[in-house]
Amino acid sequence: MRRIGIIMDPIDRISIHKDSTFAMMLEAQRRGWQLWYMRQHDIRLEQGRVLARASVVSVRDDPADWYRLEAPAVIPLGELDVILMRKDPPVDANYVYCTQLLDLAEQHGCRVVNRPSALRDINEKLAVAHFPDLTPATLVGYSASDFKTFLDKQRDIILKPLDGMGGRSIFRVRENDPNVNVILETLTADGNRPAMAQRYVPAIRDGDKRILLIDGEPVPYALARIPAKGETRGNIAAGGTTRGQPLSQDDRRIAEAVGPFLRDNGVLFAGIDVIGDQLTEINVTSPTCIRELDQQFELNISAMLFDRIEAT
């Protein structure tokens, strides 16, 4: 029997109707894999071996009763066939330490999806810098005066932290905005933490499109996340609604450009964010939207993922 470890946030708190990790667990179980559930803080290094206090888990697609955990046991991670690293951001010091332990688990024979070095090195905001021709005008820095100069030039910008998710701490700022100073003070911690600015893309009104890629190849449908009235952010966590749609020609062009970069870095499952014809983020830690696309288009994206896992 193949064994798979899943490092994730608390399973008792997930919303199974939209949780991509849960979709992956259902598919692995359907294929006869034994599932081992663990949290980031369950992992340790002892005498050169990476161990985890983990529990065999069974799952069912029932919002009233979706999981069963067996008694925990200490297992060597290197003896698992695959580990899914699905802990949500932020990619903080503890997350980085965990990826370093997962490097050792890989050396001992276990495949980690996505590759631990990629999870460390591919910042989901900064990674778009590899594709400047596909992205809006962008500035990353610490200096409030630099951001103000950028705002004067662009007139309408988005400001965001480099370690956020779910639309948290994202601000739209236009010229003469009276709140620009306090926004910059907050995001940069008074010049002690970097932040990102991007030119505002008006096509956000039609949705922030999430495009999923498996081994560098795009799923043929995107999930457009439409901002709520009066909102700039399309994120579902920020109240956005969703609409599935086939990939446009621009979507495919962007996916084809990003795909080889992801494949070369060991990123088997990723989600890129596209507004209009502009690439805004490359998500590699715990991309979502599997459940929504599966439901709208009668897909099984997790099966596509496990076909690749089992073939390579």
Side-chain angles (χ1 to χ4, degrees):
M1 177 186 295
R2 294 187 179 184
R3 301 195 301 165
I4 185 167
I6 304 99
I7 305 169
M8 60 185 292
D9 292 296
I11 194 170
D12 59 328
R13 301 180 195 172
I14 64 175
S15 299
I16 67 169
H17 69 283
K18 62 178 184 179
D19 194 279
S20 292
T21 305
F22 186 74
M24 296 175 189
M25 295 169 76
L26 286 171
E27 178 61 23
Q29 181 175 269
R30 187 187 70 79
R31 292 176 181 232
W33 291 62
Q34 184 182 60
L35 279 59
W36 286 86
Y37 163 78
M38 65 196 78
R39 304 279 308 284
Q40 182 174 269
H41 62 247
D42 291 320
I43 300 170
R44 69 180 191 261
L45 177 67
E46 186 174 326
Q47 300 298 108
R49 293 199 306 167
V50 182
L51 309 174
R53 186 175 177 83
S55 298
V56 171
V57 60
S58 58
V59 289
R60 54 189 294 184
D61 205 355
D62 179 351
D65 181 22
W66 64 88
Y67 73 98
R68 286 279 189 276
L69 292 175
E70 296 184 10
V74 175
I75 60 170
L77 292 189
E79 295 181 7
L80 296 175
D81 295 285
V82 175
I83 293 173
L84 298 179
M85 177 48 166
R86 293 286 302 175
K87 169 76 175 63
D88 282 344
V91 179
D92 55 14
N94 288 332
Y95 188 101
V96 170
Y97 298 147
C98 185
T99 65
Q100 291 168 336
L101 293 177
L102 292 176
D103 276 336
L104 296 173
E106 273 199 323
Q107 292 175 22
H108 296 159
C110 177
R111 183 179 187 184
V112 182
V113 178
N114 289 313
R115 185 181 294 160
S117 58
L119 295 175
R120 285 194 303 276
D121 296 343
I122 301 178
N123 178 276
E124 302 190 325
K125 308 296 190 296
L126 286 173
V128 299
H130 292 277
F131 307 96
D133 295 340
L134 302 177
T135 63
T138 300
L139 171 69
V140 175
Y142 294 78
S143 167
S145 63
D146 288 344
F147 283 113
K148 290 179 182 178
T149 299
F150 185 79
L151 174 58
D152 289 342
K153 184 177 181 179
Q154 303 298 331
R155 297 187 175 186
D156 194 351
I157 65 175
I158 296 295
L159 287 165
K160 54 188 173 181
L162 296 180
D163 61 353
M165 66 167 288
R168 297 190 190 111
S169 300
I170 293 180
F171 299 90
R172 180 183 179 185
V173 179
R174 284 164 274 200
E175 55 184 345
N176 302 317
D177 190 317
N179 296 305
V180 65
N181 286 328
V182 69
I183 291 171
L184 290 171
E185 289 167 8
T186 301
L187 281 180
T188 69
D190 293 316
N192 292 296
R193 181 175 59 213
M196 171 179 275
Q198 289 179 320
R199 184 183 66 244
Y200 174 74
V201 182
I204 185 63
R205 67 175 65 94
D206 299 318
D208 179 358
K209 294 173 286 187
R210 167 59 56 83
I211 301 169
L212 298 177
L213 292 93
I214 297 170
D215 201 19
E217 297 295 329
V219 173
Y221 299 93
L223 191 72
R225 297 161 294 177
I226 316 297
K229 186 176 181 180
E231 259 286 1
T232 299
R233 303 167 298 172
N235 307 74
I236 300 169
T241 56
T242 62
R243 180 186 66 231
Q245 58 194 49
L247 297 187
S248 69
Q249 186 174 354
D250 284 327
D251 296 337
R252 290 187 178 277
R253 174 177 58 85
I254 292 170
E256 288 169 4
V258 177
F261 166 78
L262 295 171
R263 191 183 303 114
D264 290 346
N265 281 279
V267 177
L268 195 64
F269 184 69
I272 62 174
D273 291 343
V274 174
I275 301 175
D277 61 354
Q278 302 281 286
L279 173 69
T280 60
E281 292 189 15
I282 300 175
N283 298 274
V284 302
T285 52
S286 57
T288 61
C289 298
I290 285 179
R291 296 285 264 174
E292 295 90 341
L293 287 170
D294 279 355
Q295 182 177 20
Q296 292 189 41
F297 297 106
E298 297 184 353
L299 302 173
N300 187 342
I301 295 170
S302 296
M304 301 177 196
L305 174 62
F306 273 88
D307 284 347
R308 293 303 303 156
I309 290 174
E310 293 181 346
T312 56

